[in-house]
Amino acid sequence: MRIEEWERLRKEFLEPLTEYSRQRMRLYLNQMPCVIKKYLEEVKAGGSIIKSDTLLPHYIIRYVKDKDVGEAAEIQWKEMMENIYQGEENKFKNCLAVCNITYAMSAASITELAASLGILVSELSEEPAWKGKVITLGPLRDKLPLLHSIQGSDLKSRYDFVIRACSNSYSQGVDFDQVCDLILEVAVNNNLKAEQMIKKVFLFTDSVRFGGCSTSWKTLYEAKRSKFKEQGYGDDAMPHILFWNIWDIAGFMHRVEEPHPGVTLLRGNSNTLIKSFLDNGGEISRHQIMEAAIANKEYQTLSVVD
Protein backbone atom coordinates (compact mmCIF):
# COMPACT_ATOMS: atom_id res chain seq x y z
CA MET A 1 0.00 0.00 0.00
CA ARG A 2 1.46 3.36 -1.05
CA ILE A 3 1.99 6.01 1.61
CA GLU A 4 -0.41 8.39 -0.15
CA GLU A 5 -3.14 5.77 -0.24
CA TRP A 6 -2.53 4.89 3.40
CA GLU A 7 -2.83 8.53 4.46
CA ARG A 8 -6.08 8.91 2.54
CA LEU A 9 -7.60 5.80 4.10
CA ARG A 10 -6.37 6.81 7.53
CA LYS A 11 -8.03 10.21 7.27
CA GLU A 12 -11.27 9.06 5.65
CA PHE A 13 -11.83 5.83 7.58
CA LEU A 14 -9.51 5.25 10.54
CA GLU A 15 -10.06 8.62 12.18
CA PRO A 16 -13.88 8.33 12.16
CA LEU A 17 -13.57 4.78 13.49
CA THR A 18 -11.28 6.07 16.23
CA GLU A 19 -13.96 8.42 17.48
CA TYR A 20 -16.52 5.62 17.34
CA SER A 21 -14.13 3.35 19.25
CA ARG A 22 -13.79 5.84 22.08
CA GLN A 23 -17.51 5.68 22.69
CA ARG A 24 -17.81 1.90 22.34
CA MET A 25 -14.74 1.12 24.46
CA ARG A 26 -16.16 2.62 27.63
CA LEU A 27 -19.20 0.34 27.46
CA TYR A 28 -17.14 -2.68 26.42
CA LEU A 29 -14.62 -2.37 29.26
CA ASN A 30 -17.43 -2.30 31.80
CA GLN A 31 -19.11 -5.43 30.45
CA MET A 32 -16.12 -7.57 29.48
CA PRO A 33 -14.84 -8.71 32.93
CA CYS A 34 -18.21 -10.20 33.85
CA VAL A 35 -18.45 -12.12 30.57
CA ILE A 36 -14.93 -13.56 30.81
CA LYS A 37 -15.20 -14.61 34.43
CA LYS A 38 -18.59 -16.22 33.84
CA TYR A 39 -17.13 -18.26 30.98
CA LEU A 40 -14.17 -19.40 33.12
CA GLU A 41 -16.48 -20.28 35.99
CA GLU A 42 -18.43 -22.51 33.60
CA VAL A 43 -15.18 -24.12 32.42
CA LYS A 44 -14.19 -24.75 36.05
CA ALA A 45 -17.55 -26.34 36.78
CA GLY A 46 -17.33 -28.51 33.68
CA GLY A 47 -20.45 -26.95 32.25
CA SER A 48 -18.84 -25.26 29.26
CA ILE A 49 -16.93 -26.69 26.32
CA ILE A 50 -13.49 -25.11 26.18
CA LYS A 51 -13.12 -23.02 23.05
CA SER A 52 -9.51 -22.48 22.03
CA ASP A 53 -10.06 -19.06 20.50
CA THR A 54 -12.43 -17.61 23.10
CA LEU A 55 -9.85 -15.50 24.97
CA LEU A 56 -6.77 -13.61 23.86
CA PRO A 57 -3.53 -14.30 25.78
CA HIS A 58 -3.58 -11.17 27.95
CA TYR A 59 -7.09 -11.93 29.22
CA ILE A 60 -6.04 -15.45 30.19
CA ILE A 61 -3.03 -14.02 32.03
CA ARG A 62 -5.30 -11.61 33.90
CA TYR A 63 -7.51 -14.38 35.22
CA VAL A 64 -4.80 -16.94 35.91
CA LYS A 65 -4.10 -14.75 38.95
CA ASP A 66 -7.73 -15.01 40.10
CA LYS A 67 -8.10 -17.42 43.02
CA ASP A 68 -11.57 -18.47 41.87
CA VAL A 69 -10.95 -19.19 38.18
CA GLY A 70 -7.15 -19.35 37.96
CA GLU A 71 -7.14 -23.10 37.32
CA ALA A 72 -9.67 -22.70 34.51
CA ALA A 73 -7.54 -19.93 32.97
CA GLU A 74 -4.54 -22.29 33.05
CA ILE A 75 -6.58 -24.90 31.15
CA GLN A 76 -7.68 -22.25 28.66
CA TRP A 77 -4.04 -21.28 27.98
CA LYS A 78 -3.02 -24.89 27.32
CA GLU A 79 -5.99 -25.38 25.01
CA MET A 80 -5.14 -22.21 23.11
CA MET A 81 -1.49 -23.17 22.68
CA GLU A 82 -2.13 -26.77 21.64
CA ASN A 83 -4.99 -26.20 19.22
CA ILE A 84 -4.23 -22.83 17.64
CA TYR A 85 -0.55 -21.99 17.61
CA GLN A 86 1.50 -25.16 17.95
CA GLY A 87 2.09 -27.89 15.37
CA GLU A 88 2.60 -27.50 11.64
CA GLU A 89 0.83 -24.14 11.65
CA ASN A 90 3.16 -22.66 14.27
CA LYS A 91 4.07 -19.28 12.81
CA PHE A 92 6.23 -18.31 15.79
CA LYS A 93 8.62 -21.26 15.79
CA ASN A 94 11.70 -19.13 15.06
CA CYS A 95 10.80 -15.92 16.89
CA LEU A 96 12.10 -14.21 20.01
CA ALA A 97 10.52 -11.61 22.29
CA VAL A 98 12.10 -8.65 24.04
CA CYS A 99 10.01 -7.37 26.96
CA ASN A 100 10.70 -3.91 28.34
CA ILE A 101 8.19 -3.40 31.14
CA THR A 102 9.00 -0.07 32.76
CA TYR A 103 7.39 1.47 35.79
CA ALA A 104 5.63 3.81 33.38
CA MET A 105 3.40 0.86 32.52
CA SER A 106 1.11 1.71 35.41
CA ALA A 107 -1.92 0.18 33.68
CA ALA A 108 -2.19 -3.50 34.58
CA SER A 109 -3.66 -4.29 31.17
CA ILE A 110 -0.51 -3.05 29.41
CA THR A 111 1.78 -5.06 31.68
CA GLU A 112 -0.36 -8.16 31.14
CA LEU A 113 -0.24 -7.71 27.38
CA ALA A 114 3.55 -7.37 27.24
CA ALA A 115 4.10 -10.35 29.56
CA SER A 116 1.53 -12.62 27.90
CA LEU A 117 2.91 -12.06 24.39
CA GLY A 118 6.45 -12.56 25.66
CA ILE A 119 5.50 -15.87 27.27
CA LEU A 120 3.54 -17.01 24.22
CA VAL A 121 6.42 -16.33 21.82
CA SER A 122 8.90 -18.05 24.14
CA GLU A 123 6.78 -21.19 24.38
CA LEU A 124 6.29 -21.39 20.61
CA SER A 125 9.99 -21.03 19.73
CA GLU A 126 11.22 -24.49 18.72
CA GLU A 127 15.00 -24.15 18.58
CA PRO A 128 16.51 -25.14 21.98
CA ALA A 129 18.69 -22.04 22.08
CA TRP A 130 15.58 -19.83 22.01
CA LYS A 131 12.71 -21.95 23.36
CA GLY A 132 11.38 -20.75 26.68
CA LYS A 133 13.60 -17.65 26.49
CA VAL A 134 12.94 -13.94 26.63
CA ILE A 135 15.28 -10.95 26.38
CA THR A 136 15.05 -8.24 29.01
CA LEU A 137 17.05 -5.19 29.94
CA GLY A 138 19.49 -5.49 32.80
CA PRO A 139 18.68 -3.94 36.19
CA LEU A 140 21.54 -1.43 36.01
CA ARG A 141 21.67 1.89 34.19
CA ASP A 142 23.74 0.39 31.37
CA LYS A 143 20.59 -1.63 30.49
CA LEU A 144 22.61 -4.38 28.82
CA PRO A 145 20.15 -6.94 27.42
CA LEU A 146 19.95 -10.33 29.10
CA LEU A 147 18.60 -13.64 27.78
CA HIS A 148 16.47 -15.38 30.42
CA SER A 149 15.08 -18.89 30.60
CA ILE A 150 11.54 -18.35 31.88
CA GLN A 151 11.07 -20.26 35.12
CA GLY A 152 7.85 -21.74 36.49
CA SER A 153 5.82 -24.94 36.39
CA ASP A 154 2.53 -23.19 35.66
CA LEU A 155 1.37 -20.08 33.83
CA LYS A 156 1.00 -17.94 36.94
CA SER A 157 4.56 -18.62 38.09
CA ARG A 158 5.91 -17.97 34.59
CA TYR A 159 4.00 -14.68 34.51
CA ASP A 160 5.43 -13.71 37.91
CA PHE A 161 8.94 -14.53 36.67
CA VAL A 162 8.56 -12.42 33.51
CA ILE A 163 7.26 -9.46 35.51
CA ARG A 164 10.24 -9.65 37.87
CA ALA A 165 12.78 -10.14 35.10
CA CYS A 166 11.39 -7.63 32.63
CA SER A 167 10.52 -4.77 34.96
CA ASN A 168 12.97 -1.90 35.29
CA SER A 169 12.94 1.65 36.58
CA TYR A 170 14.87 3.16 33.68
CA SER A 171 12.46 3.96 30.86
CA GLN A 172 15.03 5.38 28.46
CA GLY A 173 14.38 2.87 25.72
CA VAL A 174 16.04 -0.20 24.27
CA ASP A 175 19.35 -0.20 22.43
CA PHE A 176 18.59 -2.68 19.69
CA ASP A 177 22.21 -2.61 18.57
CA GLN A 178 23.05 -4.46 21.78
CA VAL A 179 20.04 -6.77 21.43
CA CYS A 180 21.24 -7.88 17.99
CA ASP A 181 24.76 -8.41 19.33
CA LEU A 182 23.35 -10.64 22.09
CA ILE A 183 21.36 -12.73 19.59
CA LEU A 184 24.43 -13.18 17.41
CA GLU A 185 26.57 -14.08 20.44
CA VAL A 186 24.10 -16.78 21.53
CA ALA A 187 23.97 -18.19 17.99
CA VAL A 188 27.76 -18.36 17.69
CA ASN A 189 28.25 -19.84 21.17
CA ASN A 190 25.68 -22.55 20.42
CA ASN A 191 27.10 -23.25 16.94
CA LEU A 192 23.71 -22.62 15.38
CA LYS A 193 23.26 -23.03 11.65
CA ALA A 194 21.70 -20.33 9.49
CA GLU A 195 18.34 -22.11 9.47
CA GLN A 196 18.34 -22.10 13.29
CA MET A 197 18.75 -18.35 13.50
CA ILE A 198 15.87 -16.25 14.81
CA LYS A 199 13.80 -14.88 11.93
CA LYS A 200 11.71 -12.30 13.81
CA VAL A 201 12.33 -10.27 16.96
CA PHE A 202 9.37 -8.64 18.70
CA LEU A 203 9.94 -5.84 21.17
CA PHE A 204 6.97 -5.17 23.46
CA THR A 205 7.47 -1.91 25.30
CA ASP A 206 5.99 1.39 26.44
CA SER A 207 9.07 3.36 25.45
CA VAL A 208 9.23 5.63 22.42
CA ARG A 209 13.03 5.69 22.37
CA PHE A 210 14.55 2.90 20.40
CA GLY A 211 17.62 1.60 18.65
CA GLY A 212 20.22 4.18 19.62
CA CYS A 213 18.11 7.02 18.25
CA SER A 214 21.04 9.00 16.89
CA THR A 215 21.48 6.21 14.32
CA SER A 216 19.16 5.86 11.34
CA TRP A 217 17.35 2.57 10.93
CA LYS A 218 19.09 1.95 7.62
CA THR A 219 22.54 2.43 9.16
CA LEU A 220 21.71 0.31 12.21
CA TYR A 221 20.08 -2.54 10.31
CA GLU A 222 22.70 -2.77 7.57
CA ALA A 223 25.56 -2.67 10.11
CA LYS A 224 24.01 -5.56 12.04
CA ARG A 225 23.36 -7.50 8.85
CA SER A 226 27.05 -7.20 7.97
CA LYS A 227 27.97 -8.60 11.39
CA PHE A 228 25.67 -11.59 10.90
CA LYS A 229 27.17 -12.19 7.47
CA GLU A 230 30.72 -12.00 8.84
CA GLN A 231 29.86 -14.84 11.21
CA GLY A 232 28.77 -17.02 8.30
CA TYR A 233 25.01 -16.58 8.57
CA GLY A 234 24.43 -15.24 5.08
CA ASP A 235 23.13 -11.98 3.74
CA ASP A 236 19.51 -12.60 4.75
CA ALA A 237 20.04 -13.95 8.29
CA MET A 238 19.37 -10.66 10.06
CA PRO A 239 16.01 -11.01 11.88
CA HIS A 240 13.02 -8.87 11.02
CA ILE A 241 12.44 -6.34 13.80
CA LEU A 242 9.00 -5.39 15.08
CA PHE A 243 9.08 -2.59 17.62
CA TRP A 244 5.64 -2.41 19.24
CA ASN A 245 4.87 0.52 21.51
CA ILE A 246 1.82 -1.00 23.18
CA TRP A 247 1.36 1.85 25.64
CA ASP A 248 0.14 4.46 23.17
CA ILE A 249 -3.61 3.87 23.46
CA ALA A 250 -4.88 7.39 24.10
CA GLY A 251 -6.74 7.68 20.83
CA PHE A 252 -7.07 3.98 19.97
CA MET A 253 -5.36 4.91 16.70
CA HIS A 254 -3.02 2.30 15.30
CA ARG A 255 0.03 3.50 13.42
CA VAL A 256 2.60 1.49 11.52
CA GLU A 257 5.79 2.63 9.83
CA GLU A 258 8.41 0.77 7.82
CA PRO A 259 11.50 3.01 7.95
CA HIS A 260 13.71 0.36 6.34
CA PRO A 261 13.16 -3.13 4.88
CA GLY A 262 13.28 -5.54 7.80
CA VAL A 263 12.04 -2.99 10.34
CA THR A 264 8.44 -2.34 11.40
CA LEU A 265 7.39 0.25 13.98
CA LEU A 266 3.93 -0.26 15.46
CA ARG A 267 2.04 1.93 17.90
CA GLY A 268 -1.21 1.35 19.77
CA ASN A 269 -3.17 -1.75 20.65
CA SER A 270 -6.64 -3.25 20.45
CA ASN A 271 -8.11 -6.74 20.53
CA THR A 272 -8.41 -6.84 16.74
CA LEU A 273 -4.81 -5.71 16.27
CA ILE A 274 -3.54 -8.30 18.77
CA LYS A 275 -5.54 -11.01 17.01
CA SER A 276 -4.13 -9.91 13.65
CA PHE A 277 -0.61 -10.09 15.09
CA LEU A 278 -1.23 -13.64 16.35
CA ASP A 279 -3.03 -14.88 13.24
CA ASN A 280 -0.30 -13.60 10.92
CA GLY A 281 2.74 -14.76 12.85
CA GLY A 282 3.73 -11.25 13.87
CA GLU A 283 3.47 -9.82 10.36
CA ILE A 284 1.97 -6.33 10.51
CA SER A 285 1.39 -4.07 7.51
CA ARG A 286 -0.75 -1.05 6.71
CA HIS A 287 -3.23 -3.34 5.00
CA GLN A 288 -3.55 -5.47 8.14
CA ILE A 289 -3.90 -2.34 10.28
CA MET A 290 -6.85 -1.31 8.13
CA GLU A 291 -8.39 -4.77 8.32
CA ALA A 292 -7.99 -4.81 12.10
CA ALA A 293 -9.69 -1.43 12.39
CA ILE A 294 -12.84 -2.58 10.57
CA ALA A 295 -12.94 -6.17 11.81
CA ASN A 296 -15.64 -5.68 14.44
CA LYS A 297 -19.10 -6.65 13.24
CA GLU A 298 -20.72 -3.42 14.41
CA TYR A 299 -18.50 -1.46 12.02
CA GLN A 300 -19.94 -3.16 8.96
CA THR A 301 -23.08 -1.01 9.02
CA LEU A 302 -21.26 2.30 9.47
CA SER A 303 -20.89 4.86 6.71
CA VAL A 304 -18.60 7.87 6.48
CA VAL A 305 -20.43 11.17 5.98
CA ASP A 306 -18.57 14.33 5.01
Side-chain angles (χ1 to χ4, degrees), residues 26 31 155 178 203 233:
R26 295 187 183 94
Q31 295 176 340
L155 182 59
Q178 295 177 339
L203 171 60
Y233 286 105

Side-chain angles (χ1 to χ4, degrees), residues 73-89:
E74 182 83 36
I75 295 172
Q76 182 72 36
W77 180 274
K78 292 179 180 178
E79 188 76 10
M80 174 188 70
M81 297 295 286
E82 291 175 1
N83 293 337
I84 298 182
Y85 301 120
Q86 291 178 342
E88 294 182 2
E89 297 301 318

Side-chain angles (χ1 to χ4, degrees), residues 55-65 77 80 85 97-102 105-122 134 155 159 162-163 166 202-206 242 244-249 254 266-278:
L55 300 179
L56 290 169
H58 56 301
Y59 292 135
I60 301 176
I61 284 287
R62 180 174 305 171
Y63 285 92
V64 81
K65 300 175 289 181
W77 180 274
M80 174 188 70
Y85 301 120
V98 181
C99 290
N100 180 36
I101 303 175
T102 75
M105 282 188 176
S106 56
S109 59
I110 301 300
T111 302
E112 291 161 352
L113 176 57
S116 66
L117 293 179
I119 294 171
L120 181 141
V121 171
S122 75
V134 64
L155 182 59
Y159 169 78
V162 168
I163 293 299
C166 297
F202 308 121
L203 171 60
F204 308 115
T205 184
D206 65 337
L242 172 65
W244 190 350
N245 179 5
I246 60 177
W247 172 254
D248 191 5
I249 59 174
H254 310 144
L266 180 62
R267 188 177 73 184
N269 81 71
S270 68
N271 287 347
T272 51
L273 182 59
I274 295 165
K275 190 175 188 307
S276 179
F277 169 84
L278 295 172

Side-chain angles (χ1 to χ4, degrees), residues 91-288:
K91 299 177 182 178
F92 293 92
K93 61 183 178 182
N94 49 15
C95 300
L96 184 65
V98 181
C99 290
N100 180 36
I101 303 175
T102 75
Y103 291 144
M105 282 188 176
S106 56
S109 59
I110 301 300
T111 302
E112 291 161 352
L113 176 57
S116 66
L117 293 179
I119 294 171
L120 181 141
V121 171
S122 75
E123 293 185 2
L124 292 177
S125 295
E126 295 182 354
E127 171 57 44
W130 315 113
K131 186 172 182 60
K133 308 289 181 63
V134 64
I135 289 181
T136 73
L137 300 189
L140 303 178
R141 286 188 178 273
D142 59 19
K143 304 185 302 300
L144 290 175
L146 303 172
L147 183 66
H148 293 273
S149 293
I150 298 178
Q151 305 297 314
S153 59
D154 56 26
L155 182 59
K156 182 180 182 302
S157 58
R158 293 195 294 276
Y159 169 78
D160 291 339
F161 177 89
V162 168
I163 293 299
R164 290 194 304 271
C166 297
S167 298
N168 69 83
S169 58
Y170 306 111
S171 57
Q172 297 182 359
V174 176
D175 189 336
F176 213 87
D177 182 70
Q178 295 177 339
V179 170
C180 291
D181 286 345
L182 175 60
I183 292 173
L184 184 57
E185 178 184 344
V186 172
V188 171
N189 290 344
N190 286 273
N191 296 314
L192 298 186
K193 299 177 181 179
E195 59 268 23
Q196 296 173 301
M197 180 59 74
I198 285 296
K199 299 298 187 293
K200 301 174 188 174
V201 178
F202 308 121
L203 171 60
F204 308 115
T205 184
D206 65 337
S207 176
V208 296
R209 294 189 66 248
F210 187 62
C213 293
S214 61
T215 304
S216 72
W217 273 110
K218 179 179 180 180
T219 302
L220 172 64
Y221 192 87
E222 294 304 324
K224 293 295 104 177
R225 181 155 69 175
S226 295
K227 274 195 173 184
F228 276 66
K229 188 175 181 179
E230 289 171 4
Q231 293 294 333
Y233 286 105
D235 193 48
D236 59 349
M238 176 68 180
H240 185 104
I241 302 167
L242 172 65
F243 167 52
W244 190 350
N245 179 5
I246 60 177
W247 172 254
D248 191 5
I249 59 174
F252 305 102
M253 174 65 77
H254 310 144
R255 287 187 178 273
V256 62
E257 300 176 27
E258 297 173 348
H260 185 68
V263 180
T264 302
L265 309 181
L266 180 62
R267 188 177 73 184
N269 81 71
S270 68
N271 287 347
T272 51
L273 182 59
I274 295 165
K275 190 175 188 307
S276 179
F277 169 84
L278 295 172
D279 290 346
N280 293 288
E283 296 287 344
I284 294 291
S285 65
R286 293 187 178 97
H287 179 76
Q288 288 160 338

